Amino acid sequence: VLSNQEAFTSEVLSLQAPQVPGAVDSPIQCILLCPKNVEKPPLIVVPHGGPHGCSSTTFIPSYAFLCSQGGYAILHVNYRGSTGFGEGPLNSLPGKIGKVDV
């Protein structure tokens, strides 16, 4: 059995989000797990609960299994309004949840 470090890679990405009226112009942070030796793996997108929450880089055994043994890529998305990215994104949400955060 391969150790997790040998079976998949992880990377924190910062993506420029499309401009949405009323939203703070801040990048969207994502955490991507990719299986090694799989050219185009199927992708599972995992948004966290919210509106206030945050996906962290904590080891999650079930996602590690899906990635290393199932051959899936896993994308954890920290969308606008996620905690840990300052007050601007949080303060832009009242009355606009579901419009400016995703």
Side-chain angles (χ1 to χ4, degrees):
V1 175
L2 296 173
S3 74
N4 289 331
Q5 291 179 342
E6 295 171 333
F8 66 90
T9 61
S10 64
E11 185 175 357
V12 176
L13 307 171
S14 184
L15 308 172
Q16 188 57 44
Q19 188 65 298
V20 176
V24 173
D25 186 23
S26 62
I28 304 293
Q29 184 198 63
C30 303
I31 303 160
L32 178 63
L33 306 176
C34 282
K36 289 185 176 178
N37 303 321
V38 178
E39 189 174 329
K40 291 185 178 181
L43 177 67
I44 298 174
V45 178
V46 183
H48 61 71
H52 305 302
C54 186
S55 295
S56 70
T57 55
T58 304
F59 179 78
I60 301 172
S62 57
Y63 295 141
F65 177 82
L66 286 170
C67 191
S68 64
Q69 303 300 313
Y72 291 93
I74 310 290
L75 183 69
H76 299 271
V77 180
N78 284 316
Y79 39 83
R80 292 182 187 105
S82 298
T83 56
F85 297 96
E87 290 185 26
L90 291 175
N91 291 335
S92 72
L93 289 181
K96 302 175 198 165
I97 292 174
K99 297 176 184 162
V100 300
D101 52 344
V102 292

